[in-house]
Amino acid sequence: ISQPALIDKQKQENAAIKQSYEDSLAASAEQQQAGIAQESLNYLEQEKIALGPQTGNITGIWHGASEALLNDHRSAEINRALKTLDSYGAQQKGRLRKTVIGTGPMSDAEQRILQEVVPSRTNTIEQNRALLSLGNAERARVIELNKFLGAYRNKHGTLDGAAAQWQAFTEENP
């Protein structure tokens, strides 16, 4: 193989490693945010705050608050937990929109689909936990891939064969 071809190959591998590293950093940051959303869900469950379609999706203080609770010190903490969940869900919805749908107008059907696959007030606590768990598994795999690529390149001096080995690993470890 010629020297320019080797240089081009090295540049492509460097770009792949860099992209994997950036993806891994983003996944780590999202895992931290998911942890905060999980803490909010735990608090809402502890306070016996119901989430799901029956509660609506209003902004401000949570739907169904009695007059007594509105004056209770817990209302601010409950509202903070709901806003945290709203913020995380909106962030994930935006990320998925860019990834899956792209730019431009979004149909009502596309909006409903995105709403169903991100944590939100319209999902029950159990549904939100499942969505957070699924997202964390996806992010863990991105981080794992970055570690794998770095270790593979350090061991072999190249990424040749890495894709096949990674695929075999993911098939054995879904």
Side-chain angles (χ1 to χ4, degrees), residues 105-117:
M106 202 167 48
S107 72
D108 290 344
E110 290 169 327
Q111 288 182 24
R112 279 192 304 278
I113 289 168
L114 284 180
Q115 188 61 40
E116 290 174 6
V117 297

Side-chain angles (χ1 to χ4, degrees), residues 4-136:
L6 283 174
I7 292 171
D8 284 344
K9 181 179 176 210
Q10 188 68 37
K11 284 180 181 178
Q12 289 174 352
E13 287 185 4
N14 289 344
I17 293 286
K18 181 182 179 210
Q19 184 62 53
S20 175
Y21 177 72
E22 289 171 359
D23 292 346
S24 178
L25 288 177
S28 293
E30 285 182 22
Q31 276 188 322
Q32 289 176 342
Q33 293 166 347
I36 294 167
Q38 182 63 55
E39 289 171 11
S40 292
L41 282 176
N42 292 343
Y43 179 78
L44 293 169
E45 183 177 50
Q46 171 190 323
E47 294 299 321
K48 302 194 181 340
I49 304 301
L51 298 178
Q54 74 284 0
T55 61
N57 193 17
I58 62 168
T59 58
I61 192 68
W62 57 281
H63 183 67
S66 67
E67 189 63 34
L69 186 57
L70 290 174
N71 296 320
D72 189 318
H73 69 280
R74 297 180 314 143
S75 62
E77 210 41 46
I78 290 167
N79 204 34
R80 183 201 61 76
L82 289 170
K83 291 293 187 184
T84 298
L85 185 63
D86 291 344
S87 176
Y88 179 77
Q91 176 194 30
Q92 292 304 302
K93 188 176 178 181
R95 183 181 67 83
L96 284 172
R97 184 189 194 292
K98 288 178 194 169
T99 304
V100 176
I101 297 171
T103 58
M106 202 167 48
S107 72
D108 290 344
E110 290 169 327
Q111 288 182 24
R112 279 192 304 278
I113 289 168
L114 284 180
Q115 188 61 40
E116 290 174 6
V117 297
V118 298
S120 74
R121 295 182 194 203
T122 58
N123 298 323
T124 65
I125 287 177
E126 294 78 21
Q127 289 169 324
N128 283 322
R129 278 201 177 113
L131 291 169
L132 284 170
S133 179
L134 184 63
N136 281 335

